[in-house]
Amino acid sequence: MKTFHLVSLGCPKNLVDSEVVFGQLEYNGWQGVEQPENANLLVVNTCGFIQSAVEESIEEIFQLAVYKQQDPRKKLAVIGCLVQRYMKRLESEIPEVDLFVGTEGVKDIHFSLNQLFRDDDFEKTVIPEPFLMTAAMPRRLSTPFFRAWLKITEGCNNHCSYCLIPGIRGRLRSRSIEDLVAEAKKLEAQGVKEVSLVAQDLTAYGMDVYHARRLVELLEQLLARTAISWIRLMYLYPSGINDQLLDLVSQQPRIVPYLDIPLQHVSDHILKDMNRRYGYGDVVQLIDKLRNKLPNIALRTTFLLGFPGETDADVQQLVDFIEAVQFDHLGVFSYANEEGCPAEKFNDQIPEEVKQARLETVLDVQSKISARKLQKYVGTVESVIIEGLSRETDLLLEGRTRYQAPEIDGCVLINEGNASPGDILDVEITEAHMYDLVGRIV
Ligand code: SF4
C-alpha cells in the first residue's frame, strides 16, 4: 500500500493546497497515515514568507528526515512556499530531501511523487508554471466537516514593500465564479455550514479575469445557489472595500457580520513607505462608513510594528487610533527585514528590542479593549456553531459566535446543554472573559 504522511504549515491558503495534495494522492491510490513511521512517503507543505516561518519549515523537515534515516526506503518531499522562494538552493542545503516541488506543483503532485519510487534519474527541484485549483480537483478537508476555507484567488498584485508573497505566489489569479460556486456546492454536500473566503486580498477578486472587482457578484451567486449558513470574509484590503460590498453584508444575514481588514498601520508616511494605497484619512472614513452601515459588525485587523522609519509618535498615533476604534479582534506582528523585500534596503531599521516593546504596548492596549467589548454579549442570545468538546476540558462544549472566526479568535465555552459538532444553535451568553465567552444552550 502506498502510504504518505503530510504536514501542512503556514496560512489557510497553504492549507487548502495541502488538502488538494491529499485529495490528489488519495485519488491516485495513495493512503494518508497519521504516523510518519507508517508512511513510505513523507511530505511537508512549507511556509516561507518570513524568517520565522522558514525556520519552522526547516525544523519540520529535519524532524521527518529522522524517520528516513531510520528506514532509508522512505522518501522525503518538500513542497510549497519555501521551495518557491529558495528553489534549487535548497538541494545543497538540505540533501536529506529527495524532491522539492514549488507552490504550483499541486496540480500534478502525484506524478512528481510517483517518480520518486520509480525512476532514479529525475529533476530534484520541480518549479511548474502557475496554475489555479478548480472544483474538479479532489480535495480532502483537514478542517472539521462543518467548516472549510474557500480560496478564491492565488497570488497578489499589491506589492507591499515588506511582503515577499507576490514574488512567491505570483500575480493575482482569480478562479471563475462558476468554479467557486461548484466548489461551494461540493463543500455543502459534504456537510459544510461555514465557509470562510480567503485570498491574499479578497477585494481584488476578479480584477484579472473580469477586469473589475467581482467579490459582490461572487457572494450573490454563493448566496443564491447554495444554502451554506455562514459565509465569512477574511483578508479584505482596506481601499478595495466599496459600498456595494458593505450594503450586501448589511442585507444578507448569511454573510456573518464579521470583517477582517488588515490595516498594517495608520501613519501616513509609514503607509506610503509600505506601498499601501491608503492613508490615515481614508482609514478613518472607512471605519466611520462601516460603523454607520454595519453597527454590530465585528472588526478584525492586523498591524505591523517596527517598520523602518517608525517613530514613537507613529506608535502613539496607532495606539490612539486603536483606542478610538475599539476593534473586536486584533493581530500584531513585528516587521521582519526579509532578504529580497523592497523595504530590506530602507534606512532607519528599528532595533528588535524596540519592535518587541512596541508590540507589547499595542497588545496590552488591545487586551483591555477586548475584555471590555466582550461584556456587551453578556445576557444576549447568540447564534453559535458547535466545534465540539472544549480543548480545555471534556466537561464543556466549545463553539463560536458569528463574531468569532475559526482558529484565530476566541470561542464560547458552553457549560449547559448538549449539542453535536456543526450544530448552529442559540446560546445565552452568561459570562465574558478577556478573549472568550461562556454560555448555556437555550
Ligand atoms: S496585500 Fe500586500 S501584504 Fe498582502 S499578500 Fe499582497 S503584497 Fe503581501
Side-chain angles (χ1 to χ4, degrees):
M1 184 68 206
K2 297 191 294 182
T3 56
F4 70 97
H5 173 77
L6 172 62
V7 174
S8 186
L9 302 174
C11 66
K13 290 149 276 191
N14 213 31
L15 184 66
V16 173
D17 287 355
S18 296
E19 293 174 346
V20 174
V21 166
F22 205 112
Q24 297 266 60
L25 289 175
E26 275 189 325
Y27 184 79
N28 290 283
W30 288 82
Q31 184 193 350
V33 293
E34 286 286 325
Q35 304 309 324
E37 57 270 27
N38 303 333
N40 312 120
L41 171 63
L42 306 163
V43 185
V44 187
N45 186 11
T46 58
C47 178
F49 79 115
I50 51 173
Q51 217 44 50
S52 55
V54 169
E55 284 151 18
E56 186 194 358
S57 294
I58 291 172
E59 199 184 310
E60 190 62 49
I61 294 166
F62 284 129
Q63 276 179 17
L64 288 182
V66 172
Y67 295 97
K68 206 185 136 203
Q69 277 148 18
Q70 291 161 354
D71 178 355
R73 293 167 304 166
K74 292 185 188 306
K75 299 291 184 185
L76 176 56
V78 171
I79 66 176
C81 292
L82 184 78
V83 180
Q84 199 70 24
R85 180 175 177 179
Y86 294 108
M87 307 224 177
K88 272 184 160 313
R89 277 170 58 186
L90 295 172
E91 288 186 22
S92 54
E93 287 167 17
I94 324 176
E96 295 85 346
V97 174
D98 300 292
L99 179 69
F100 297 97
V101 181
T103 52
E104 311 309 309
V106 172
K107 182 160 70 65
D108 299 323
I109 194 71
H110 47 294
F111 290 122
S112 311
L113 296 174
N114 276 332
Q115 236 185 349
L116 268 179
F117 293 87
R118 214 185 33 243
D119 314 343
D120 293 333
D121 178 21
F122 56 87
E123 273 300 316
K124 195 168 179 179
T125 300
V126 181
I127 307 294
E129 289 304 307
F131 97 105
L132 207 46
M133 70 174 282
T134 67
M137 289 179 172
R139 176 183 173 189
R140 160 71 68 173
L141 286 188
S142 62
T143 49
F145 74 88
F146 52 85
R147 62 178 167 88
W149 307 105
L150 183 64
K151 180 156 72 168
I152 70 171
T153 71
E154 190 49 89
C156 185
N157 293 353
N158 291 333
H159 297 287
C160 303
S161 63
Y162 52 83
C163 182
L164 289 174
I165 292 170
I168 293 174
R169 288 283 178 168
R171 292 191 58 72
L172 172 71
R173 305 177 311 272
S174 301
R175 296 171 64 184
S176 72
I177 291 179
E178 279 314 306
D179 180 52
L180 287 164
V181 170
E183 184 170 5
K185 282 177 170 298
K186 266 176 82 175
L187 294 172
E188 182 183 13
Q190 292 172 37
V192 168
K193 292 183 179 172
E194 177 183 16
V195 160
S196 299
L197 273 57
V198 294
Q200 304 300 352
D201 169 5
L202 221 64
T203 67
Y205 175 72
M207 295 288 275
D208 52 326
V209 282
Y210 304 119
H211 311 296
R213 297 184 191 282
R214 285 293 178 85
L215 180 58
V216 169
E217 278 86 336
L218 170 62
L219 290 168
E220 286 169 342
Q221 290 299 313
L222 291 173
L223 289 163
R225 296 159 63 186
T226 77
I228 291 171
S229 310
W230 288 8
I231 297 173
R232 190 178 298 279
L233 307 181
M234 308 298 289
Y235 307 101
L236 295 154
Y237 194 96
S239 52
I241 297 171
N242 55 32
D243 289 352
Q244 293 83 353
L245 179 62
L246 299 182
D247 293 342
L248 186 70
V249 175
S250 70
Q251 291 148 10
Q252 294 292 340
R254 288 168 54 207
I255 301 177
V256 294
Y258 178 103
L259 295 177
D260 167 39
I261 308 173
L263 291 170
Q264 307 303 5
H265 216 292
V266 293
S267 149
D268 281 334
H269 78 96
I270 294 292
L271 288 168
K272 184 167 169 296
D273 290 351
M274 284 179 166
N275 193 31
R276 302 286 284 183
R277 298 187 309 283
Y278 52 87
Y280 178 71
D282 305 308
V283 172
V284 170
Q285 236 178 38
L286 173 64
I287 300 293
D288 285 351
K289 193 190 282 185
L290 284 168
R291 293 286 188 225
N292 290 331
K293 284 180 180 283
L294 303 158
N296 73 337
I297 193 87
L299 284 182
R300 160 171 272 280
T301 193
T302 305
F303 289 116
L304 191 63
L305 277 294
F307 188 79
E310 186 187 62
T311 64
D312 290 341
D314 294 324
V315 178
Q316 190 52 53
Q317 182 186 20
L318 182 60
V319 166
D320 296 347
F321 176 78
I322 291 169
E323 284 176 334
V325 173
Q326 305 269 303
F327 290 97
D328 299 81
H329 311 282
L330 188 150
V332 276
F333 299 90
S334 70
Y335 167 74
N337 197 30
E338 285 302 318
E339 179 202 346
C341 78
E344 181 195 4
K345 303 268 180 304
F346 286 11
N347 297 328
D348 305 326
Q349 297 285 338
I350 310 290
E352 285 308 317
E353 63 279 8
V354 176
K355 290 181 195 173
Q356 204 45 43
R358 291 175 176 177
L359 210 79
E360 279 150 26
T361 302
V362 170
L363 275 175
D364 184 50
V365 170
Q366 181 59 25
S367 61
K368 297 186 181 76
I369 291 171
S370 176
R372 218 176 19 251
K373 288 208 73 163
L374 285 180
Q375 288 304 324
K376 75 177 181 196
Y377 295 110
V378 177
T380 68
V381 173
E382 289 299 332
S383 186
V384 166
I385 190 164
I386 302 296
E387 287 276 349
L389 287 177
S390 159
R391 284 162 284 178
E392 290 162 27
T393 162
D394 291 355
L395 300 174
L396 298 173
L397 283 176
E398 188 175 310
R400 283 175 295 105
T401 68
R402 296 168 303 153
Y403 310 105
Q404 297 168 316
E407 298 172 18
I408 50 174
D409 295 334
C411 66
V412 182
L413 297 170
I414 295 166
N415 54 16
E416 205 179 307
N418 263 319
S420 306
D423 288 353
I424 298 181
L425 34 72
D426 287 344
V427 170
E428 182 193 353
I429 306 300
T430 53
E431 286 171 48
H433 301 287
M434 190 175 284
Y435 297 112
D436 298 328
L437 299 168
V438 177
R440 63 181 193 83
I441 293 174
V442 176

